[in-house]
Amino acid sequence: QVQLVESGGGLVQPGGSLRLSCKTSGSFFRINTMGWDRQAPGKQRELVTTINSAGSTSYADSVKGRFNISRDNAKNTVYLQMNSLTPEDSAVYYCRVYYINEHYKYVEVWGQGTPVTVST
């Protein structure tokens, strides 16, 4: 079973930066795509960014040029560097990991979420 532990959320002023981390632990064969979703109060969850095992990335239009996703395969950890934050970025951010388990089945799992609040 795979567990995800997120960290790095908190309160930041508009224009500021935060860096989120998500570490994967447990039993698995290989991690494929990693990424981040977010959900603001009263809104649907949206996909923010992904990074595949080759390092290719994708971003939602709303965060392009401001957010950067990266991964450290040796540490089974994915990071989200968020810059030029605005109040519209306030949400609970969820890490997502798509992996192959020990039975060679594809499985997707999400973290518990870490809140990000952008406010004065």
Side-chain angles (χ1 to χ4, degrees):
Q1 190 170 355
V2 166
Q3 297 83 38
L4 306 180
V5 178
E6 299 149 333
S7 61
L11 174 64
V12 63
Q13 291 188 342
S17 298
L18 279 176
R19 188 189 193 214
L20 306 183
S21 300
C22 174
K23 182 173 177 58
T24 307
S25 62
S27 178
F28 53 88
F29 176 68
R30 187 176 71 231
I31 295 174
N32 280 13
T33 300
M34 309 178 86
W36 295 88
D37 295 351
R38 69 184 180 185
Q39 186 166 22
K43 294 188 177 181
Q44 288 190 331
R45 184 178 293 197
E46 64 171 337
L47 176 63
V48 176
T49 179
T50 62
I51 182 168
N52 67 17
S53 56
S56 295
T57 60
S58 67
Y59 296 91
D61 287 342
S62 58
V63 306
K64 281 181 181 177
R66 300 187 299 121
F67 289 13
N68 184 68
I69 188 172
S70 61
R71 61 191 284 172
D72 184 333
N73 292 326
K75 296 181 179 180
N76 298 320
T77 299
V78 61
Y79 304 97
L80 180 62
Q81 178 66 43
M82 304 184 293
N83 301 321
S84 302
L85 286 162
T86 73
E88 289 67 39
D89 295 314
S90 297
V92 177
Y93 284 71
Y94 298 91
C95 173
R96 65 157 66 190
V97 170
Y98 192 51
Y99 67 96
I100 301 172
N101 67 14
E102 61 270 27
H103 304 294
Y104 305 105
K105 302 293 185 183
Y106 285 89
V107 180
E108 195 164 28
V109 64
W110 286 264
Q112 78 284 357
T114 185
V116 171
T117 302
V118 184
S119 175
T120 55

